[in-house]
């Protein structure tokens, strides 16, 4: 399986037009600069690229937590 966390960081960095190194996996999506609409769009792209189903919940607030969720599937 490809590196889930690296893929998520790449997708978010491209979306925000930032360098991947600027994205901290421990920052919340809000701290990174994403709102709920951005997250919905990004989740669809991630599901496609990572071939998975993502059920977001209130606990999934960081890239680390999202990667953990996807890896458990």
């Amino acid at each position: 399986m490809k590196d889930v966390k690296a893929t998520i960081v790449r997708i978010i960095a491209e979306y925000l037009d930032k360098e991947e190194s600027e994205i901290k996996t421990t920052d919340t999506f809000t701290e990174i600069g994403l709102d709920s609409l951005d997250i919905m769009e990004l989740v669809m792209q991630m599901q496609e690229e990572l071939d998975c189903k993502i059920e977001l919940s209130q606990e999934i607030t960081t890239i680390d937590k999202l990667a953990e969720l996807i890896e458990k599937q």
Side-chain angles (χ1 to χ4, degrees):
M1 185 174 197
K2 38 179 144 168
D3 186 351
V4 172
K5 203 177 289 188
T7 302
I8 295 169
V9 168
R10 179 182 51 75
I11 290 170
I12 291 173
E14 285 172 5
Y15 184 82
L16 293 173
D17 199 23
K18 289 185 173 184
E19 294 296 317
E20 288 179 32
S21 59
E22 293 178 68
I23 310 278
K24 288 196 201 100
T25 60
T26 53
D27 282 352
T28 65
F29 295 124
T30 309
E31 290 169 332
I32 293 169
L34 299 169
D35 63 25
S36 55
L37 201 60
D38 295 329
I39 293 166
M40 295 297 288
E41 280 185 47
L42 289 165
V43 161
M44 288 190 283
Q45 189 178 343
M46 289 172 198
Q47 288 181 135
E48 208 171 283
E49 274 198 49
L50 295 166
D51 193 31
C52 65
K53 180 102 180 78
I54 300 171
E55 294 280 338
L56 283 183
S57 67
Q58 300 293 8
E59 293 83 53
I60 309 299
T61 54
T62 65
I63 293 172
D64 285 342
K65 289 179 182 171
L66 180 57
E68 204 177 291
L69 174 82
I70 294 168
E71 285 164 353
K72 281 183 187 166
Q73 294 183 6

